[in-house]
Amino acid sequence: MSDASTVRHDIQRVTLVWGLLVFLTLCNFYLSARLHGVVLMATVLALAIVKAGWIAFDYMGLRHTRLAWRMVMSLWLALVATGIAIAYLFPA
């Protein structure tokens, strides 16, 4: 693949991810008015983790880095999501 086609592919991918991020944000907004409690928390948290992953891997460029860096980011996202879920399910 030439450099021009690689750049074009990257721009198309980032544009697609941006559109999906906007769509999932609107889904969160819509669902927050209709769901409540644990179901709302789980849904919003799952969508937020998906969005954070796309931002990390596509906008921060981690998709093209070594596996170790991708694993660090994935583990960080999992730990943050677990911490938020525990804090919600077991308030002080």
Side-chain angles (χ1 to χ4, degrees):
M1 219 188 282
S2 70
D3 289 338
S5 63
T6 301
V7 169
R8 185 171 36 254
H9 179 263
D10 287 346
I11 290 172
Q12 290 172 344
R13 180 170 183 83
V14 168
T15 303
L16 174 65
V17 168
W18 177 82
L20 292 171
L21 288 169
V22 170
F23 175 74
L24 289 182
T25 301
L26 294 173
C27 286
N28 272 342
F29 179 74
Y30 176 79
L31 292 173
S32 67
R34 285 152 181 79
L35 300 177
H36 302 286
V38 175
V39 175
L40 174 62
M41 184 273 305
T43 304
V44 169
L45 187 58
L47 291 176
I49 293 301
V50 168
K51 289 166 43 177
W54 281 340
I55 290 169
F57 291 112
D58 290 301
Y59 285 98
M60 293 171 60
L62 291 179
R63 185 170 306 283
H64 305 293
T65 61
R66 293 187 316 212
L67 178 63
W69 287 112
R70 294 190 306 258
M71 294 302 292
V72 166
M73 181 55 83
S74 297
L75 180 62
W76 180 81
L77 288 173
L79 288 173
V80 169
T82 302
I84 291 171
I86 288 171
Y88 181 84
L89 294 172
F90 304 105

